[in-house]
């Protein structure tokens, strides 16, 4: 089966850096992506790693280590608007996306 | 924003009744997906489609069926709704050559 584990909740202060980890176990793996979801909204794509290493997109960076079946999302210079849930998702066989249970990020002033 | 529309956005139905949710895309993407989202479970794949009339089961397909007669439409049917199917349902699309999925705004379904 498919399994992606991530912390359920993280709290940080405005301006800080936070890292959200994700470990995965999937049959067939083509890459790891990250999505943001605000309360009542739809998930929106943030970043994707197909290869090992770090991908940077503005204040957000994502990392993948295939050998460790591990990745993380790094959010820098946290802003209040970053308060949301963050999901890692593995791209598996037949172009299926499998999601973790999500990490709720609380940003405090 | 990707052109993806779900209907209805909200629905309340009675146990035992059939329900159909519709997902419509204007992006001509090959892949379409139905997910359900419940607290503590994230997004779980119900069914997906890899082309017209080509569908397959996901992780939580029991009690659900799908159909895709046109590229742009993907229907999810609950044959006989149960209270355990109360959830928020999201449709997503993907181009296949890229690694991101685009989501509709969701349908909140309540089975009473």
């Amino acid at each position: 089966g498919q399994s992606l584990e991530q912390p359920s909740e993280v709290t940080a202060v405005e301006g800080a850096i936070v890292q959200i980890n994700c470990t995965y176990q999937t049959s067939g793996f083509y890459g790891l992506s990250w999505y943001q979801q605000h309360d009542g909204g739809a998930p929106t794509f943030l970043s994707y790693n197909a290869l090992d290493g770090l991908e940077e997109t503005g204040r957000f960076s994502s990392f993948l280590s295939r050998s460790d079946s591990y990745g993380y999302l790094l959010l820098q210079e946290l802003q209040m608007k970053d308060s949301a849930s963050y999901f890692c998702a593995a791209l598996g066989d037949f172009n299926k996306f499998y999601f973790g249970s999500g990490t709720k990020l609380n940003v405090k002033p | 924003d990707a052109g993806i529309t779900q209907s209805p956005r909200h629905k309340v139905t009675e146990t035992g009744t059939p329900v159909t949710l519709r997902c419509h895309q204007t992006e001509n993407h090959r892949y379409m997906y139905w997910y359900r989202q419940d607290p503590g479970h994230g997004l779980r794949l119900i069914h997906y489609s890899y082309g017209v009339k080509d569908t397959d089961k996901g992780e939580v397909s029991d009690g659900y069926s799908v159909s895709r007669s046109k590229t742009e439409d993907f229907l999810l049917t609950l044959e006989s709704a149960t209270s355990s199917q109360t959830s928020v349902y999201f449709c997503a699309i993907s181009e296949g050559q890229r690694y991101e999925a685009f989501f509709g705004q969701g349908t909140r379904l309540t089975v009473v």
Side-chain angles (χ1 to χ4, degrees):
Chain A
Q2 324 298 329
S3 173
L4 291 94
E5 300 290 332
Q6 51 181 128
S8 60
E9 193 165 354
V10 173
T11 299
V13 297
E14 208 172 4
I17 300 172
V18 70
Q19 178 174 313
I20 299 174
N21 299 320
C22 174
T23 57
Y24 61 87
Q25 185 174 10
T26 64
S27 58
F29 177 81
Y30 296 90
L32 192 71
S33 53
W34 290 89
Y35 291 77
Q36 179 191 60
Q37 184 181 32
H38 287 98
D39 285 346
T44 56
F45 173 81
L46 290 176
S47 69
Y48 179 85
N49 295 74
L51 304 174
D52 285 1
L54 191 68
E55 293 283 342
E56 298 181 72
T57 308
R59 293 187 298 114
F60 294 178
S61 303
S62 58
F63 172 83
L64 176 66
S65 169
R66 284 173 168 263
S67 60
D68 295 322
S69 297
Y70 163 77
Y72 66 73
L73 178 70
L74 191 73
L75 297 84
Q76 303 182 74
E77 301 173 16
L78 280 175
Q79 303 176 8
M80 296 300 292
K81 67 178 182 179
D82 297 329
S83 291
S85 291
Y86 293 84
F87 296 88
C88 57
L91 179 61
D93 289 333
F94 309 111
N95 217 76
K96 296 183 187 180
F97 293 89
Y98 297 98
F99 286 79
S101 55
T103 299
K104 185 175 176 60
L105 173 62
N106 303 301
V107 180
K108 298 190 178 299
Chain B
D1 288 346
I4 178 168
T5 306
Q6 291 184 231
S7 59
R9 294 292 313 280
H10 301 272
K11 186 171 182 65
V12 179
T13 192
E14 293 186 349
T15 298
T17 61
V19 177
T20 295
L21 308 183
R22 181 183 184 233
C23 178
H24 178 79
Q25 62 147 329
T26 58
E27 303 298 319
N28 201 37
H29 283 4
R30 177 182 177 186
Y31 297 92
M32 298 186 76
Y33 313 82
W34 277 107
Y35 289 89
R36 61 177 289 174
Q37 185 172 36
D38 305 289
H41 289 280
L43 292 146
R44 292 182 290 176
L45 181 64
I46 305 171
H47 280 280
Y48 84 113
S49 170
Y50 49 97
V52 174
K53 298 192 189 312
D54 292 323
T55 65
D56 201 358
K57 296 179 179 180
E59 306 165 277
V60 289
S61 59
D62 287 348
Y64 302 94
S65 63
V66 290
S67 66
R68 189 171 179 196
S69 59
K70 297 184 291 185
T71 298
E72 57 266 36
D73 290 324
F74 193 32
L75 305 180
L76 177 71
T77 297
L78 290 66
E79 303 292 345
S80 177
T82 67
S83 58
S84 64
Q85 294 175 313
T86 292
S87 186
V88 178
Y89 291 85
F90 284 100
C91 175
I93 61 175
S94 172
E95 197 172 15
Q97 297 301 317
R98 296 168 60 101
Y99 304 112
E100 56 188 292
F102 301 95
F103 284 81
Q105 290 305 303
T107 295
R108 183 171 295 276
L109 176 68
T110 302
V111 183
V112 297

